[in-house]
Amino acid sequence: MSRWAAILAGGSGTRFWPLSKESNPKQLLPLVDGESLLRLTVNRLRGLIPPDRILVVTGPALADKTRRLLSEIPQQNILVEPRAASTAPALAWATQTAVTQDASATLLSLHADWYVGDDQLFRDTASRAMDVAEQHDVMVTVGIVPNRPDSGYGYIQLGESLDGDAKRVQAFVEKPDSQTAIKLIDDGALWNSGLFAWTANRFEIETQAVATELAPEMHRLASGDVSGFFASVTPVAVDVSHFERSDHVACVPGKYPWDDVGTWDALARIRDLDESGNVLVGTVHQRQSSGCIIWTEQDAIVLDGVENLVVVQANGITLVTTRERSTHLKELLANMPDNLRNLGK
């Protein structure tokens, strides 16, 4: 039995606009330190999964950059989706790829754009998740122990004990309001991080049993018709197609610092702050300003007496908004003229 990792590394480049764009989405940006999030993700797997068993699923526009960045990973392990169809088809392809090498493979699924504050604890938790998947023939999700009632995350309600700290999943609750989130945390619920583990055999069983969007097209993957599979399959997230529908799901807790780095506001949680609580990247001078997130790759930015602003200068565009409103960038971009939204592409 061999262990594999599938890294989901697509993206539309909207979350960190104007720094990010379709050809340079979040996982290719150095949002934590000098390394891109994708590079840090692969580094995090050292000692857990060898490079020749790491699969990276990405899109055509990002394939060349991904190959250059991850030179230690075999070229055939960079899986380029014919079209974006959410995470379940991508992971079905990755699992099938592992099966061609080892029918008894175990797969660890993770995203390329997370912040993780303790790599060793992450590896220990991931190894534990794969152990539980193999020993109990279940699909496993890692639940992060919450440190705040965040309504932007999904939550996992836990059921009966399965094995030590591993428990069966009672229910998933998707992005509750703040009061519900507080109650869920009080009741012991965990954040659904999106770190999953399963054996190839269990994934196939659950696909045929509950993943109605995928099951009719799986024969195409088995025969090597990847293009036909992606052309025919119904897009769906693996959280929905498998985890929310299956009765064979368990959860192990993850106690490492974690953030999905979903908005500019998240940088205040994962980067060093100055004495006034600002995140300052690039040439920035501030006076009597606090709680701001400033990122400039071009000209100097000077702040004077302002609070809780997000100012980003990149790719010929300057964005000025508040930290609260920075969580709605997709809405902003959807209502922006094409000539402005695509400036600097």
Side-chain angles (χ1 to χ4, degrees), residues 6-333:
I7 301 174
L8 296 167
S12 60
T14 59
R15 291 182 182 272
F16 284 84
W17 185 88
L19 180 63
S20 63
K21 47 188 178 179
E22 288 183 12
S23 62
N24 206 43
K26 179 172 63 164
Q27 73 270 13
L28 298 180
L29 301 177
L31 295 175
V32 177
D33 54 25
E35 297 273 16
S36 69
L37 294 178
L38 176 56
R39 177 74 265 171
L40 293 174
T41 300
V42 173
N43 293 350
R44 195 171 297 127
L45 293 172
R46 289 174 182 166
L48 181 67
I49 306 288
D52 64 345
R53 294 205 295 268
I54 296 176
L55 305 170
V56 182
V57 187
T58 190
L62 306 176
D64 288 342
K65 283 186 177 181
T66 300
R67 292 188 185 102
R68 289 194 297 270
L69 181 65
L70 306 178
S71 58
E72 75 274 31
I73 293 179
Q75 295 294 293
Q76 66 269 22
N77 286 16
I78 307 298
L79 307 183
V80 183
E81 295 177 290
R83 71 160 177 143
S86 196
T87 58
L91 291 168
W93 185 20
T95 302
Q96 180 63 37
T97 301
V99 166
T100 62
Q101 302 295 317
D102 179 2
S104 62
T106 297
L107 201 79
L108 180 74
S109 167
L110 63 161
H111 290 255
D113 53 5
W114 294 333
Y115 162 78
V116 172
D118 187 322
D119 285 357
Q120 185 57 55
L121 193 50
F122 172 89
R123 287 189 287 270
D124 293 344
T125 303
S127 180
R128 169 68 171 148
M130 289 186 284
D131 287 344
V132 172
E134 293 166 353
Q135 295 166 11
H136 296 277
D137 193 22
V138 291
M139 301 183 69
V140 179
T141 179
V142 172
I144 300 296
V145 178
N147 59 17
R148 64 186 185 279
D150 195 315
S151 59
Y153 293 153
Y155 287 73
I156 305 167
Q157 292 178 299
L158 303 175
E160 64 184 16
S161 179
L162 180 66
D163 174 3
D165 60 354
K167 296 183 178 180
R168 295 194 180 276
V169 171
Q170 178 179 314
F172 292 94
V173 180
E174 182 62 19
K175 297 182 179 180
D177 60 46
S178 57
Q179 290 303 311
T180 303
I182 292 171
K183 185 177 187 308
L184 285 166
I185 293 173
D186 289 343
D187 292 341
L190 305 176
W191 285 336
N192 187 9
S193 71
L195 178 61
F196 301 131
W198 53 70
T199 64
N201 182 63
R202 174 49 58 186
F203 187 86
E204 170 63 20
I205 291 172
E206 296 305 314
T207 299
Q208 296 301 326
V210 299
T212 54
E213 299 89 350
L214 274 64
E217 309 301 335
M218 289 298 292
H219 67 95
R220 300 181 190 274
L221 274 186
S223 67
D225 183 12
V226 174
S227 295
F229 173 74
F230 275 90
S232 304
V233 77
T234 300
V236 63
V238 75
D239 310 58
V240 175
S241 64
H242 289 69
F243 281 84
E244 292 182 7
R245 298 173 185 169
S246 173
D247 294 326
H248 299 273
V249 177
C251 178
V252 299
K255 299 180 181 179
Y256 49 86
W258 172 89
D259 200 291
D260 76 345
V261 199
T263 67
W264 280 109
D265 186 60
L267 297 193
R269 298 191 296 266
I270 65 174
R271 293 190 72 107
D272 292 336
L273 306 178
D274 72 1
E275 66 280 2
S276 299
N278 301 299
V279 174
L280 306 178
V281 179
T283 305
V284 184
H285 175 74
Q286 71 88 6
R287 186 178 81 101
Q288 297 178 5
S289 298
S290 63
C292 294
I293 296 171
I294 313 299
W295 188 298
T296 176
E297 298 200 328
Q298 299 162 15
D299 300 328
I301 292 178
V302 178
L303 305 178
D304 186 21
V306 296
E307 297 179 351
N308 300 321
L309 289 183
V310 172
V311 181
V312 183
Q313 190 179 68
N315 295 312
I317 300 171
T318 300
L319 168 71
V320 181
T321 185
T322 64
R323 286 178 57 175
E324 181 181 7
R325 291 185 65 86
S326 71
T327 61
H328 303 292
L329 269 186
K330 285 188 177 181
E331 297 172 23
L332 171 67
L333 292 174

